[in-house]
Amino acid sequence: SGLQVFSPESRRLSAETIAKHTPEEGLIYISGSERFVESLRHELENDYNVPHERIIFDFFDGYHDL
């Protein structure tokens, strides 16, 4: 258990990378622009079957293009 922080090799964080490196019952915290966060949340839930309850997120106000 405990907090696990990782830095992806590519510059863009992907749902695949998150799903691959997160323990099955681990919480996932995503912070960034609304578009970025919603995109990752959608992929995690739909493509990697991560339950909504395991995804915690917030948006950076004013950052629409990240």
Side-chain angles (χ1 to χ4, degrees), residues 35-53:
R35 185 175 77 186
F36 172 74
V37 170
E38 287 297 332
S39 174
L40 282 177
R41 184 192 61 78
H42 178 77
E43 286 183 61
L44 287 165
E45 289 178 355
N46 296 304
D47 298 343
Y48 296 95
N49 300 313
V50 175
H52 180 78
E53 301 81 35

Side-chain angles (χ1 to χ4, degrees), residues 11-36:
R11 296 190 69 141
R12 180 92 172 154
L13 184 62
S14 70
E16 178 181 15
T17 300
I18 294 169
K20 180 180 175 182
H21 293 284
T22 303
E24 189 171 321
E25 297 300 319
L27 293 176
I28 298 169
Y29 186 92
I30 306 170
S31 186
S33 70
E34 184 173 357
R35 185 175 77 186
F36 172 74

